[in-house]
Amino acid sequence: MGVFDEKVDVVPRRTMVLFFIVDTSGSMEGEKISSLNVAIQETLPYVNDISASNADAQIKISALEFSSGTEWMYPQPMDVEGFVWRDLEAGGLTCLGEAFTELNDKLSVSHGFMQEAAGSFAPAIILFSDGEPTDDYKRGLEKLKNNQWFKSAIKVAIAIGDDANQNILAEFTNSKEAVLTVRNKEQLKKIIKFVSVTASQVASSHSSVGKDAPETKQEENIEKIKEALKNDKELQDVESGTDVAKGTNAWGDGW
Amino acid sequence: MGRIITFHVTCLGASHVKKGKPCQDYSLSWQSEDKTTHVAIVCDGHGGDTYVRSDRGARLAAEIALRCIRNMVDCVSPDSFLDKEGAVTARPEEEDDIFHPLKETYSEPLPDNADEEDCRVQQARQDRCFYAAVAPIREQDQLMQRLFAAIYIQWLDAIEQDAQNDPFTDQEKAQLGSARLAKAYGTTLMAFVRTPLYWFAFHIGDGRMLCCDTNFRWREPVPWDCNCFLNMTTSLCAKEPLHSFRYAFNGKGEFPAAVIMGSDGLDDSWCTMENLTNFYSQTLSIFNELKEEKTIKEMKEYLPRLSEKGSRDDMSMAGIIDMNAIAAGTAVYQKQRELNALLGECKKQEERIGQLQQSQTDVSEAEKTLQEAKATYQDWQQGAKAKKAILEADYKQLLAVGNQYETEEKLLWERCKEAYLAAREASRKQKMSERIASMMEHDEEAAKSIREAKFEPEDKSDKE
């Protein structure tokens, strides 16, 4: 130990916020929402392990539900260690545009959830939806797409069943390959764990890139998704992209 | 002017050690033989897989920048900077010809309610700042642009030469893919130059350049570029890097007490500007205490540990320090630290008092609530007593009614029973009489035998 160790303050950890944006419209009622609740609860310990074992990054969680309106689960992002997932209930419309506007407001240092850029990693944002937006989503998305935090973020969308509009979800992720379609609760559980853990790992790692490759973390995350869908037997039935064939949809029959 | 020193330290990042990657940072410092001109430079080669030779790109950029800077200082008259100052951010992209008159002047201000996180708003604000800053210093702007162009062109030549002298391996080619050669060597660059009459500084990419006055008040001499955000940075390997150079100069005799430049591995470790400037103040205090040689030795040992605990990235620090100026600053800083510590302790104690007061308030409120509850209870108790008496009287009355009913019911039942028993007895006697009569009527023989046997029952009914 030298003079610097004695005289210099302790190094803080940078923060990465993992956002869950959850459609809680009426069509999510029943096993869809209950499976999602259980799956996220079961995933949080794995995300906590990533945070605990990463000397440089501290992972925080934030959850936004949207139906006829929007509501944050907690007023500020919380450390994953102390985060308790409150079971969401479904009912109402699908105001996706309002959710985009709300997310844009919070992706801000002065009046939102973000901290100084030097102390932050790009956030990871996971969107869940099973249907069509019932409001004008384009306006909210337009604002969101010009938000510098959103541009840098890792974005993944989970389409729950074939009724979800994969094209709109791809507009959100800016990549068709980051849209994943699941058709039963087992697939949903597995993909939630995989996506949450992978996005947290990629988002909380350090790399410096040139301006010509603005979404490298997003691309890195997509590469990991592609690899997993190809090689992980548990995820082989999950489909990526927007041109997915209609499959056996357990949710279509009321699940 | 006091005793000016320059320093530079670069260390391999913890993650690079683990992955077996080379150090992609490069730093250098230089002073003229007469010790009147000082230069410090930091370059940070990019870390992505595509940037396979960014360590070489960083070294070449630093060496070429030093050569070009020395040439400029030798060739350009100090008159170009005397009594002038400027601080110019990155050039707008629409300014496609950096050596010709500017296109736009932006007269309309941006609305106050514009979204601060919107990239378009940030870029528009930055462009306005550029035009406002560059307008009064066109001559110096041309000088700086020539310097940047010289650095860039020579860097391109150097990396091409490097690729020829040491051709890319198959693995390097695979990693670079279809990207341009310059990408393999991608790096940031920042430099600070101090001459006896003026100073100038320039920067492309991320990392932080900070300078302080004699009281250790820190500021960024070169304006920031909004295109450097999180892990995105401008770079010498971009298609149009000359737009991304930003710079500052001062020929008014306003020299910083110290300037320190750090690669992004360093400022990422400290998270906030406040933490980073605090670290730099502590560094200057150590310089003041241990002097340059020992401080640099300590710094070389400390930075790898900082990388391990912090960003895990390569780390570079370079700077120019007026040792006489920081002596006073160190004393101020130490007092400020003590004051901050005292204020911190005061705040803690105040918070403790506040908590206790809150507890006291809570207790008082609980006491008040208790008293109110007691009073309410007493009022209620009076009413309850009266209600109890009424309820008891009602109860007794109803109980008596019930008892009376039960007694009456019992009497009724007993009468009913008596009537039943009487009826039953009468019926039995009737039946017995009828039976005896029948026996007497139909069994004369038996009656005779009885009489003959001189057995005559005195009371037939009892025998029966």
Side-chain angles (χ1 to χ4, degrees), chain A residues 144-187:
Chain A
L144 198 53
K145 277 182 170 286
N146 283 296
N147 183 302
Q148 57 179 350
W149 293 95
F150 185 79
K151 283 177 87 168
S152 308
I154 286 175
K155 295 156 293 243
V156 180
I158 311 292
I160 304 175
D162 288 323
D163 292 338
N165 189 325
Q166 281 106 343
N167 289 317
I168 292 175
L169 297 180
E171 283 185 61
F172 171 82
T173 59
N174 201 28
S175 161
K176 291 179 179 181
E177 289 153 320
V179 178
L180 304 171
T181 301
V182 293
R183 296 193 178 84
N184 59 53
K185 64 180 177 185
E186 287 311 314
Q187 286 180 357

Short mmCIF file of all heavy atoms in Angstrom, two decimals, chain A residues 144-187:
data_model
loop_
_atom_site.label_atom_id
_atom_site.label_comp_id
_atom_site.label_asym_id
_atom_site.label_seq_id
_atom_site.Cartn_x
_atom_site.Cartn_y
_atom_site.Cartn_z
N LEU A 144 -38.22 9.08 -27.88
CA LEU A 144 -37.35 8.11 -27.23
C LEU A 144 -36.12 7.81 -28.09
O LEU A 144 -35.00 7.72 -27.59
CB LEU A 144 -38.16 6.83 -26.99
CG LEU A 144 -37.64 5.81 -25.98
CD1 LEU A 144 -37.34 6.44 -24.64
CD2 LEU A 144 -38.65 4.69 -25.82
N LYS A 145 -36.33 7.70 -29.37
CA LYS A 145 -35.23 7.32 -30.26
C LYS A 145 -34.15 8.40 -30.35
O LYS A 145 -33.03 8.12 -30.80
CB LYS A 145 -35.76 7.00 -31.66
CG LYS A 145 -36.28 5.56 -31.75
CD LYS A 145 -36.76 5.26 -33.14
CE LYS A 145 -37.05 3.78 -33.31
NZ LYS A 145 -35.86 2.96 -33.41
N ASN A 146 -34.47 9.63 -29.97
CA ASN A 146 -33.46 10.69 -29.98
C ASN A 146 -32.86 10.92 -28.59
O ASN A 146 -32.03 11.82 -28.43
CB ASN A 146 -34.07 11.99 -30.51
CG ASN A 146 -34.20 11.95 -32.01
OD1 ASN A 146 -33.21 11.87 -32.72
ND2 ASN A 146 -35.43 11.94 -32.50
N ASN A 147 -33.31 10.13 -27.63
CA ASN A 147 -32.74 10.24 -26.29
C ASN A 147 -31.38 9.53 -26.28
O ASN A 147 -31.28 8.38 -26.67
CB ASN A 147 -33.71 9.58 -25.28
CG ASN A 147 -33.24 9.70 -23.86
OD1 ASN A 147 -32.14 9.26 -23.51
ND2 ASN A 147 -34.06 10.30 -23.03
N GLN A 148 -30.36 10.25 -25.82
CA GLN A 148 -29.00 9.70 -25.92
C GLN A 148 -28.82 8.44 -25.06
O GLN A 148 -28.05 7.55 -25.43
CB GLN A 148 -27.96 10.74 -25.54
CG GLN A 148 -28.14 11.34 -24.16
CD GLN A 148 -27.06 12.36 -23.84
OE1 GLN A 148 -26.09 12.48 -24.57
NE2 GLN A 148 -27.23 13.09 -22.75
N TRP A 149 -29.55 8.35 -23.95
CA TRP A 149 -29.45 7.15 -23.11
C TRP A 149 -30.09 5.96 -23.83
O TRP A 149 -29.57 4.85 -23.80
CB TRP A 149 -30.14 7.36 -21.76
CG TRP A 149 -29.46 8.35 -20.89
CD1 TRP A 149 -29.75 9.68 -20.76
CD2 TRP A 149 -28.33 8.13 -20.03
NE1 TRP A 149 -28.90 10.29 -19.88
CE2 TRP A 149 -28.02 9.36 -19.42
CE3 TRP A 149 -27.55 7.02 -19.72
CZ2 TRP A 149 -26.97 9.50 -18.51
CZ3 TRP A 149 -26.51 7.15 -18.81
CH2 TRP A 149 -26.23 8.37 -18.22
N PHE A 150 -31.23 6.23 -24.46
CA PHE A 150 -31.93 5.17 -25.18
C PHE A 150 -31.10 4.68 -26.36
O PHE A 150 -31.02 3.49 -26.63
CB PHE A 150 -33.30 5.67 -25.65
CG PHE A 150 -34.13 4.60 -26.29
CD1 PHE A 150 -34.81 3.67 -25.52
CD2 PHE A 150 -34.23 4.50 -27.67
CE1 PHE A 150 -35.56 2.67 -26.11
CE2 PHE A 150 -34.99 3.51 -28.27
CZ PHE A 150 -35.66 2.59 -27.47
N LYS A 151 -30.47 5.64 -27.06
CA LYS A 151 -29.66 5.27 -28.21
C LYS A 151 -28.52 4.33 -27.82
O LYS A 151 -28.16 3.44 -28.57
CB LYS A 151 -29.07 6.53 -28.87
CG LYS A 151 -30.08 7.28 -29.70
CD LYS A 151 -29.48 8.54 -30.25
CE LYS A 151 -28.78 8.32 -31.56
NZ LYS A 151 -28.44 9.58 -32.23
N SER A 152 -27.99 4.56 -26.63
CA SER A 152 -26.86 3.75 -26.18
C SER A 152 -27.30 2.45 -25.52
O SER A 152 -26.47 1.58 -25.26
CB SER A 152 -26.02 4.53 -25.16
OG SER A 152 -25.68 5.78 -25.66
N ALA A 153 -28.60 2.36 -25.21
CA ALA A 153 -29.07 1.24 -24.38
C ALA A 153 -29.09 -0.08 -25.13
O ALA A 153 -29.18 -0.13 -26.36
CB ALA A 153 -30.47 1.55 -23.88
N ILE A 154 -29.05 -1.15 -24.34
CA ILE A 154 -29.36 -2.48 -24.87
C ILE A 154 -30.87 -2.61 -24.83
O ILE A 154 -31.49 -2.36 -23.79
CB ILE A 154 -28.69 -3.57 -24.01
CG1 ILE A 154 -27.20 -3.58 -24.29
CG2 ILE A 154 -29.32 -4.93 -24.28
CD1 ILE A 154 -26.43 -4.54 -23.42
N LYS A 155 -31.47 -2.99 -25.96
CA LYS A 155 -32.93 -3.07 -26.03
C LYS A 155 -33.35 -4.45 -26.53
O LYS A 155 -32.85 -4.90 -27.56
CB LYS A 155 -33.47 -1.98 -26.97
CG LYS A 155 -33.22 -0.57 -26.45
CD LYS A 155 -33.19 0.48 -27.52
CE LYS A 155 -32.05 0.38 -28.47
NZ LYS A 155 -31.10 1.46 -28.52
N VAL A 156 -34.25 -5.07 -25.80
CA VAL A 156 -34.79 -6.36 -26.20
C VAL A 156 -36.30 -6.30 -26.02
O VAL A 156 -36.78 -5.70 -25.04
CB VAL A 156 -34.21 -7.51 -25.33
CG1 VAL A 156 -34.77 -8.85 -25.78
CG2 VAL A 156 -32.70 -7.54 -25.40
N ALA A 157 -37.05 -6.89 -26.95
CA ALA A 157 -38.50 -6.94 -26.80
C ALA A 157 -38.96 -8.39 -26.82
O ALA A 157 -38.50 -9.19 -27.65
CB ALA A 157 -39.18 -6.17 -27.93
N ILE A 158 -39.84 -8.74 -25.89
CA ILE A 158 -40.39 -10.09 -25.83
C ILE A 158 -41.85 -10.02 -26.27
O ILE A 158 -42.67 -9.37 -25.61
CB ILE A 158 -40.34 -10.67 -24.38
CG1 ILE A 158 -38.94 -10.49 -23.76
CG2 ILE A 158 -40.78 -12.13 -24.37
CD1 ILE A 158 -37.86 -11.30 -24.36
N ALA A 159 -42.15 -10.67 -27.39
CA ALA A 159 -43.53 -10.74 -27.87
C ALA A 159 -44.17 -11.97 -27.25
O ALA A 159 -43.70 -13.09 -27.47
CB ALA A 159 -43.54 -10.85 -29.40
N ILE A 160 -45.22 -11.77 -26.48
CA ILE A 160 -45.86 -12.89 -25.80
C ILE A 160 -47.05 -13.35 -26.65
O ILE A 160 -48.10 -12.73 -26.64
CB ILE A 160 -46.30 -12.48 -24.37
CG1 ILE A 160 -45.08 -11.93 -23.60
CG2 ILE A 160 -46.91 -13.66 -23.63
CD1 ILE A 160 -45.41 -11.38 -22.24
N GLY A 161 -46.82 -14.39 -27.39
CA GLY A 161 -47.87 -14.89 -28.28
C GLY A 161 -47.82 -14.22 -29.64
O GLY A 161 -47.11 -13.24 -29.86
N ASP A 162 -48.62 -14.76 -30.58
CA ASP A 162 -48.59 -14.28 -31.96
C ASP A 162 -49.38 -13.00 -32.18
O ASP A 162 -49.31 -12.40 -33.25
CB ASP A 162 -49.14 -15.37 -32.88
CG ASP A 162 -48.16 -16.52 -33.00
OD1 ASP A 162 -46.94 -16.24 -33.02
OD2 ASP A 162 -48.60 -17.68 -33.05
N ASP A 163 -50.16 -12.59 -31.18
CA ASP A 163 -50.95 -11.37 -31.37
C ASP A 163 -50.12 -10.10 -31.18
O ASP A 163 -50.58 -9.00 -31.49
CB ASP A 163 -52.14 -11.35 -30.40
CG ASP A 163 -53.15 -12.43 -30.75
OD1 ASP A 163 -53.14 -12.87 -31.92
OD2 ASP A 163 -53.91 -12.84 -29.87
N ALA A 164 -48.92 -10.25 -30.62
CA ALA A 164 -48.06 -9.07 -30.43
C ALA A 164 -47.63 -8.55 -31.80
O ALA A 164 -47.44 -9.32 -32.74
CB ALA A 164 -46.84 -9.45 -29.61
N ASN A 165 -47.48 -7.22 -31.89
CA ASN A 165 -47.04 -6.63 -33.15
C ASN A 165 -45.51 -6.58 -33.17
O ASN A 165 -44.89 -5.65 -32.64
CB ASN A 165 -47.64 -5.24 -33.31
CG ASN A 165 -47.38 -4.68 -34.69
OD1 ASN A 165 -46.33 -4.92 -35.29
ND2 ASN A 165 -48.34 -3.94 -35.21
N GLN A 166 -44.91 -7.58 -33.80
CA GLN A 166 -43.45 -7.68 -33.79
C GLN A 166 -42.77 -6.52 -34.52
O GLN A 166 -41.65 -6.13 -34.18
CB GLN A 166 -42.99 -9.01 -34.41
CG GLN A 166 -43.12 -10.18 -33.47
CD GLN A 166 -44.28 -11.07 -33.82
OE1 GLN A 166 -45.17 -10.67 -34.56
NE2 GLN A 166 -44.31 -12.28 -33.29
N ASN A 167 -43.45 -5.96 -35.51
CA ASN A 167 -42.84 -4.85 -36.26
C ASN A 167 -42.68 -3.61 -35.38
O ASN A 167 -41.67 -2.91 -35.45
CB ASN A 167 -43.69 -4.52 -37.49
CG ASN A 167 -43.58 -5.61 -38.53
OD1 ASN A 167 -42.49 -6.12 -38.80
ND2 ASN A 167 -44.71 -6.00 -39.10
N ILE A 168 -43.70 -3.37 -34.55
CA ILE A 168 -43.59 -2.21 -33.65
C ILE A 168 -42.50 -2.47 -32.61
O ILE A 168 -41.71 -1.59 -32.28
CB ILE A 168 -44.94 -1.93 -32.98
CG1 ILE A 168 -45.94 -1.44 -34.03
CG2 ILE A 168 -44.80 -0.90 -31.87
CD1 ILE A 168 -47.35 -1.24 -33.52
N LEU A 169 -42.44 -3.70 -32.14
CA LEU A 169 -41.40 -4.03 -31.16
C LEU A 169 -40.01 -3.87 -31.79
O LEU A 169 -39.07 -3.44 -31.12
CB LEU A 169 -41.60 -5.45 -30.63
CG LEU A 169 -42.91 -5.70 -29.87
CD1 LEU A 169 -42.99 -7.15 -29.40
CD2 LEU A 169 -43.06 -4.76 -28.69
N ALA A 170 -39.90 -4.20 -33.08
CA ALA A 170 -38.61 -4.05 -33.77
C ALA A 170 -38.25 -2.57 -33.94
O ALA A 170 -37.08 -2.21 -33.92
CB ALA A 170 -38.66 -4.75 -35.12
N GLU A 171 -39.27 -1.73 -34.09
CA GLU A 171 -38.99 -0.29 -34.14
C GLU A 171 -38.39 0.17 -32.81
O GLU A 171 -37.50 1.01 -32.76
CB GLU A 171 -40.29 0.50 -34.39
CG GLU A 171 -40.77 0.47 -35.82
CD GLU A 171 -41.98 1.37 -35.99
OE1 GLU A 171 -41.87 2.58 -35.74
OE2 GLU A 171 -43.07 0.85 -36.31
N PHE A 172 -38.89 -0.42 -31.74
CA PHE A 172 -38.39 -0.07 -30.42
C PHE A 172 -36.94 -0.52 -30.24
O PHE A 172 -36.09 0.23 -29.77
CB PHE A 172 -39.29 -0.72 -29.35
CG PHE A 172 -38.76 -0.61 -27.95
CD1 PHE A 172 -38.94 0.55 -27.21
CD2 PHE A 172 -38.09 -1.67 -27.36
CE1 PHE A 172 -38.46 0.64 -25.91
CE2 PHE A 172 -37.61 -1.59 -26.06
CZ PHE A 172 -37.79 -0.43 -25.34
N THR A 173 -36.66 -1.76 -30.62
CA THR A 173 -35.31 -2.29 -30.40
C THR A 173 -34.32 -1.84 -31.46
O THR A 173 -33.12 -2.01 -31.30
CB THR A 173 -35.33 -3.83 -30.39
OG1 THR A 173 -35.83 -4.27 -31.66
CG2 THR A 173 -36.19 -4.38 -29.28
N ASN A 174 -34.85 -1.27 -32.57
CA ASN A 174 -34.04 -0.88 -33.71
C ASN A 174 -33.34 -2.09 -34.34
O ASN A 174 -32.29 -1.96 -34.97
CB ASN A 174 -33.00 0.17 -33.31
CG ASN A 174 -32.51 0.95 -34.51
OD1 ASN A 174 -33.22 1.11 -35.49
ND2 ASN A 174 -31.29 1.43 -34.42
N SER A 175 -33.88 -3.26 -34.09
CA SER A 175 -33.30 -4.47 -34.65
C SER A 175 -34.34 -5.59 -34.60
O SER A 175 -34.90 -5.87 -33.54
CB SER A 175 -32.07 -4.88 -33.83
OG SER A 175 -31.77 -6.23 -34.06
N LYS A 176 -34.58 -6.22 -35.73
CA LYS A 176 -35.55 -7.33 -35.74
C LYS A 176 -35.06 -8.49 -34.88
O LYS A 176 -35.84 -9.20 -34.27
CB LYS A 176 -35.73 -7.83 -37.18
CG LYS A 176 -36.45 -6.83 -38.07
CD LYS A 176 -36.58 -7.39 -39.47
CE LYS A 176 -37.33 -6.40 -40.36
NZ LYS A 176 -37.49 -6.91 -41.73
N GLU A 177 -33.73 -8.66 -34.88
CA GLU A 177 -33.19 -9.82 -34.15
C GLU A 177 -33.32 -9.69 -32.64
O GLU A 177 -33.14 -10.67 -31.92
CB GLU A 177 -31.72 -10.00 -34.53
CG GLU A 177 -31.54 -10.49 -35.94
CD GLU A 177 -30.23 -10.07 -36.53
OE1 GLU A 177 -29.81 -8.90 -36.29
OE2 GLU A 177 -29.61 -10.87 -37.22
N ALA A 178 -33.61 -8.50 -32.17
CA ALA A 178 -33.77 -8.32 -30.72
C ALA A 178 -35.23 -8.47 -30.30
O ALA A 178 -35.60 -8.17 -29.17
CB ALA A 178 -33.25 -6.95 -30.30
N VAL A 179 -36.09 -8.93 -31.25
CA VAL A 179 -37.50 -9.21 -30.92
C VAL A 179 -37.65 -10.73 -30.81
O VAL A 179 -37.37 -11.46 -31.76
CB VAL A 179 -38.45 -8.67 -32.01
CG1 VAL A 179 -39.89 -9.01 -31.68
CG2 VAL A 179 -38.28 -7.16 -32.15
N LEU A 180 -38.07 -11.20 -29.67
CA LEU A 180 -38.16 -12.63 -29.41
C LEU A 180 -39.60 -13.01 -29.13
O LEU A 180 -40.24 -12.37 -28.28
CB LEU A 180 -37.27 -13.00 -28.22
CG LEU A 180 -35.80 -12.58 -28.38
CD1 LEU A 180 -35.04 -12.78 -27.08
CD2 LEU A 180 -35.14 -13.38 -29.49
N THR A 181 -40.10 -14.01 -29.83
CA THR A 181 -41.50 -14.41 -29.65
C THR A 181 -41.56 -15.71 -28.85
O THR A 181 -40.89 -16.69 -29.18
CB THR A 181 -42.19 -14.61 -31.01
OG1 THR A 181 -42.11 -13.37 -31.73
CG2 THR A 181 -43.65 -15.00 -30.84
N VAL A 182 -42.39 -15.69 -27.81
CA VAL A 182 -42.58 -16.90 -26.98
C VAL A 182 -44.06 -17.25 -27.00
O VAL A 182 -44.92 -16.38 -27.09
CB VAL A 182 -42.08 -16.70 -25.53
CG1 VAL A 182 -40.59 -16.54 -25.50
CG2 VAL A 182 -42.76 -15.50 -24.87
N ARG A 183 -44.35 -18.56 -26.87
CA ARG A 183 -45.75 -18.99 -27.03
C ARG A 183 -46.27 -19.81 -25.86
O ARG A 183 -47.38 -20.32 -25.92
CB ARG A 183 -45.91 -19.77 -28.33
CG ARG A 183 -45.63 -18.94 -29.56
CD ARG A 183 -46.10 -19.62 -30.82
NE ARG A 183 -45.86 -18.78 -31.97
CZ ARG A 183 -44.72 -18.70 -32.63
NH1 ARG A 183 -43.69 -19.43 -32.25
NH2 ARG A 183 -44.60 -17.90 -33.67
N ASN A 184 -45.48 -19.99 -24.84
CA ASN A 184 -46.00 -20.66 -23.65
C ASN A 184 -45.22 -20.21 -22.43
O ASN A 184 -44.18 -19.54 -22.55
CB ASN A 184 -45.98 -22.19 -23.79
CG ASN A 184 -44.58 -22.72 -24.02
OD1 ASN A 184 -43.67 -22.43 -23.26
ND2 ASN A 184 -44.41 -23.47 -25.10
N LYS A 185 -45.73 -20.59 -21.27
CA LYS A 185 -45.14 -20.03 -20.06
C LYS A 185 -43.73 -20.55 -19.80
O LYS A 185 -42.90 -19.84 -19.23
CB LYS A 185 -46.05 -20.29 -18.85
CG LYS A 185 -46.25 -21.73 -18.46
CD LYS A 185 -47.16 -21.81 -17.26
CE LYS A 185 -47.43 -23.26 -16.90
NZ LYS A 185 -48.40 -23.37 -15.80
N GLU A 186 -43.42 -21.76 -20.24
CA GLU A 186 -42.07 -22.27 -20.04
C GLU A 186 -41.07 -21.46 -20.85
O GLU A 186 -40.00 -21.11 -20.36
CB GLU A 186 -42.01 -23.76 -20.43
CG GLU A 186 -42.68 -24.69 -19.44
CD GLU A 186 -42.25 -24.43 -18.00
OE1 GLU A 186 -41.02 -24.30 -17.77
OE2 GLU A 186 -43.11 -24.33 -17.11
N GLN A 187 -41.44 -21.18 -22.11
CA GLN A 187 -40.57 -20.36 -22.96
C GLN A 187 -40.40 -18.97 -22.35
O GLN A 187 -39.30 -18.41 -22.34
CB GLN A 187 -41.18 -20.21 -24.35
CG GLN A 187 -41.08 -21.46 -25.20
CD GLN A 187 -41.70 -21.25 -26.58
OE1 GLN A 187 -42.24 -20.18 -26.88
NE2 GLN A 187 -41.62 -22.27 -27.42
#
